[in-house]
Amino acid sequence: MNPLSRAASRPFLTLALLLGTAFPALGQDHVAPEDVGMSTERLERLTTVWEGYVESRALPGAVIRVQRRGHVVYERAFGYRDMEAGDRQQTDDIFRIASQTKAIVSAAIMILQEEGKLVIQDPVGLHLTEFMETTVAVEDGDGAYTVVPAERPVTIRDLLTHTAGVGYGGGLPEDRWAEAGIQGWYFADREEPIRETVRRMADLPFQAQPGERFVYGYSTDILGAVVEVASEMSLDAYLRSRIFEPLGMSDTHFYLPRSERDRLAVVYRGSRDGPLERSPEGRGMRGQGLYVDGPRSSFSGGAGLLSTARDYSRFLQAILDGGVLDGVRILSPKSVEIMTENHVGDLLGPGVGFGLGFQVVRDLGARGTLGSSGEFSWGGAYHSVYWGDFTEDLVVTYFTQLLPAPARDDHARLRTLVYQALTESYAER
């Protein structure tokens, strides 16, 4: 049983779903942890550990936000937005969320389905005609490859589950993708609109046959183009009208308003043994990027958004509560249910699967870390991570800006320190 369905067996949530609202979000106000079955004293262990990360220069800065039953029980900023300037991190600072963009664009696809503008079983080619017939690179046995036709059309569902076979311009056909200038996930410096970039992707060989493997890459950027065609709006405008404005996500953007540049956290480079280094100015995914002064032309559905911990937590809370927040519904409970079911069998390995935009936990014991079966999660390239736990009515959002981030154990400790702060579990209710 999907945990959304299982959670609905709790009387308070059943009543909330019948009334068309979630219980008890109430504006995501801050409450004492003890009011919702958590411990203030135990949550403060997060503070101690993260202050240690900053003091040891393992992390430049970070924001942690924890919500239970729709209420904020822990929200802290640590370290520095800009270490060199001595600018302390604030809870409302803006971060590059990279692949955390994918869940939002996946939700937009589901909204379009609810509006009757597409069906996720559709071939992508019904909306982007160039994708009706695609090709795949196949090893030829001599260290090279041949290009063969795809065995079937790629579907929207393939893109949502990352089983379309399209990567980030690597693998066997990387020479063709490099020649086309489409590699890596950073698009903020492109003058070319995303619809045109995606149009060119369709002419390049993919890494696997549709449905054959989990291949992480441009699938959600292609979905962004589907959103534009199906909605007859830019991806930016559609997300703003259907998700950001309804949920009060006023600090989520593809390109930052110039007046807010001093809220954008600086990107740092981590190493195993050396000190943190400030990433270079200018373009590129390993630099500070052109999110303020760039061309503002390419809306990357796979990795382009900027956001705050508050904004992203509001999106996650809406998903956790069956598609509604503060009485505003963006999705039906059934859409959320199918988004958070596993669609890829055993392709991701022990205990985990992938839904429509989220990784999901299939077997908690097989995964081997604290959490709950049915939990949905993902993260971003700058070392951010999030998860939502239906069983424990819990949302956790963690933002930092560190790329690369080798030999860091903060994600594992975050999970442990959040769950050890529970004094009441809903798992047996």
Side-chain angles (χ1 to χ4, degrees), residues 100-112:
Q100 291 187 210
T101 306
K102 291 178 169 69
I104 292 174
V105 172
S106 298
I109 288 288
M110 301 305 290
I111 293 169
L112 283 164

Side-chain angles (χ1 to χ4, degrees), residues 33-86:
E34 286 72 18
D35 292 344
V36 290
M38 298 189 77
S39 164
T40 299
E41 181 181 2
R42 283 175 167 265
L43 281 169
E44 281 304 309
R45 294 174 182 174
L46 282 165
T47 304
T48 301
V49 170
W50 258 259
E51 286 176 347
Y53 282 133
V54 171
E55 184 177 352
S56 67
R57 297 298 178 97
L59 294 173
V63 174
I64 300 173
R65 183 174 165 117
V66 181
Q67 297 168 188
R68 199 174 200 210
R69 297 190 198 169
H71 299 286
V72 181
V73 295
Y74 186 92
E75 185 177 35
R76 297 286 177 84
F78 303 92
Y80 297 89
R81 185 197 71 84
D82 185 331
M83 294 172 63
E84 290 75 19

